[in-house]
Amino acid sequence: MSHSSRLAPVGLVIALLTGAGCGRAKPSGTAAPTEQSIAKSSPVRAPTMMTVEIVSGSRSWTVQMNDGPAARDFLAQLPLTLILKDYGGNEKIADLPHPLTRESAPEAVTPQAGDVAFYAPWGNLAIFYRDGHHSPGLIRLGQLRGDAAKFAGTEPLSVTIRRAERSE
């Protein structure tokens, strides 16, 4: 096959994907709808109050999850069994099987004790048992109910994270 005949199908695919030569042109100044404009015009849904449990042996904690895209991605991965390791003397971390979306997430967050978060640059879950530093790429997923200080300590902690029996 000659070089030019191999390029012809690629050109046809590009034309079809970009809409070249198809339909009528949009009047100038009219932009195609974007995901953002579609989302803004979509009906607003009431936030769901989802809770998850973190269980380690006889100990358990409840987390009130946020209603955002990253939190929904996290919930879709449950149940999870993870080994949480201490990091920086203020949080426990573990890698997640799949990264979470950064859609609608702030550029940075200053974590507080009890925050359950996703650190996008490393792809890990973080549970803060002490306040942390302002961190670009950190996405708050929810808030731990109860004493976050019980996560403190340098020993790894095996946990199972699952949806709570009942959501509020």
Side-chain angles (χ1 to χ4, degrees):
M1 183 184 287
S2 74
H3 180 71
S4 61
S5 62
R6 281 187 295 193
L7 292 179
V10 173
L12 177 61
V13 170
I14 291 171
L16 289 173
L17 290 175
T18 60
C22 298
R24 61 185 170 86
K26 292 190 178 290
S28 62
T30 303
T34 63
E35 282 186 54
Q36 275 187 326
S37 66
I38 291 169
K40 287 180 184 174
S41 65
S42 298
V44 177
R45 61 185 178 95
T48 54
M49 301 302 277
M50 178 60 67
T51 56
V52 299
E53 292 178 311
I54 301 174
V55 179
S56 177
S58 62
R59 297 182 292 176
S60 68
W61 298 265
T62 302
V63 177
Q64 180 65 53
M65 299 299 294
N66 295 341
D67 186 36
R72 288 190 296 273
D73 268 6
F74 177 70
L75 291 169
Q77 294 186 33
L78 299 182
L80 289 172
T81 298
L82 303 170
I83 303 294
L84 299 172
K85 296 180 182 174
D86 197 69
Y87 183 79
N90 66 328
E91 65 187 285
K92 292 284 194 201
I93 65 170
D95 291 334
L96 289 175
H98 307 286
L100 308 179
T101 184
R102 294 183 75 172
E103 177 188 338
S104 303
E107 290 295 316
V109 168
T110 303
Q112 298 175 341
D115 280 348
V116 175
F118 173 66
Y119 186 57
W122 292 353
N124 67 279
L125 181 70
I127 300 173
F128 287 86
Y129 56 85
R130 291 195 181 104
D131 292 349
H133 300 286
H134 191 70
S135 303
L138 190 66
I139 302 168
R140 189 174 285 120
L141 302 175
Q143 182 68 31
L144 192 70
R145 291 186 179 160
D147 189 4
K150 291 185 179 182
F151 279 95
T154 57
E155 293 298 314
L157 183 63
S158 177
V159 299
T160 297
I161 305 172
R162 61 182 180 230
R163 290 177 185 253
E165 291 291 319
R166 138 186 177 296
S167 296
E168 299 173 7

